Amino acid sequence: HGGDATRTWDVFDSWGGPFGALHDFEFAAGNALEVKSTHRPPSEIRVSPPAQTSPLPDGLDLVVLPLERVAVDTGNDRRFVDVVNEVGAIASAHGGDVMDLWEAALRALGLDPADEYYEQWRFITGDWLRFVVTNEFPRISDDAIPPGVLKVAYSLRLDSLTTFAARFDDLEVMP
């Protein structure tokens, strides 16, 4: 939900994903949040670039939303445009810089919520999963990538991350 104006600004201002930031959210306190989606049932995620799963001194959380696309209204699905419009309503309610940032993000993503193309996208979502990225987290480290090798991507099996699992409800990105 919208919350207070300062907190809302901080969340929108931390959202770097649309602008090419390494992590989806990079907070002023130095911690970050990487967001991924996967098919239901959740089995794996794709990581690119590898630095997305390099631990940060102030903390990095990886959160995963399992979802499945459906073609028709099932009664328990979410339309993509509804989610976009809900976030847009939060931005609009706060106006000013928040709205400017929201509109810049939409432009950076090439997303026009009014485009009928997006009407077809409906999803059934599962429960959010959360993993705390530590030094022991499985990953390909930047120093393992030889010079001249570009655009490295890899997949992680979610069932191999149980040691790093944490309760999503306990996630606190801006204490």
Side-chain angles (χ1 to χ4, degrees):
H1 59 76
D4 74 342
T6 301
R7 194 167 181 82
T8 301
W9 165 252
D10 289 344
V11 170
F12 275 84
D13 189 45
S14 300
W15 186 32
F19 307 105
L22 178 60
H23 299 105
D24 292 300
F25 293 87
E26 297 175 340
F27 299 98
N31 59 319
L33 186 65
E34 182 60 29
V35 182
K36 300 287 184 187
S37 63
T38 186
H39 291 284
R40 290 182 348 149
S43 61
E44 68 181 52
I45 57 161
R46 192 95 171 126
V47 177
S48 176
Q52 283 185 328
T53 54
S54 294
L56 298 175
D58 294 311
L60 171 61
D61 283 282
L62 168 67
V63 294
V64 179
L65 180 63
L67 51 81
E68 202 61 44
R69 184 171 178 208
V70 293
V72 296
D73 186 353
T74 64
N76 64 344
D77 61 289
R78 301 278 321 261
R79 290 182 337 139
F80 174 73
V81 291
D82 291 341
V83 174
V84 171
N85 289 333
E86 287 170 17
V87 177
I90 293 168
S92 181
H94 289 278
D97 291 341
V98 173
M99 193 64 192
D100 292 345
L101 197 51
W102 172 246
E103 290 172 349
L106 291 178
R107 282 192 305 277
L109 293 168
L111 182 80
D112 177 3
D115 187 332
E116 289 182 13
Y117 169 79
Y118 297 108
E119 293 291 327
Q120 68 180 310
W121 297 95
R122 303 168 102 56
F123 299 93
I124 296 174
T125 60
D127 294 329
W128 282 96
L129 305 171
R130 175 184 168 213
F131 303 96
V132 178
V133 178
T134 66
N135 288 329
E136 293 76 33
F137 195 86
R139 68 184 179 283
I140 295 175
S141 62
D142 286 336
D143 59 358
I145 302 170
V149 174
L150 303 174
K151 300 181 183 176
V152 174
Y154 63 96
S155 295
L156 284 174
R157 287 180 37 155
L158 294 176
D159 62 4
S160 72
L161 303 179
T162 55
T163 305
F164 307 96
R167 284 179 29 90
F168 180 79
D169 290 343
D170 294 336
L171 180 62
E172 198 171 312
V173 293
M174 295 186 321

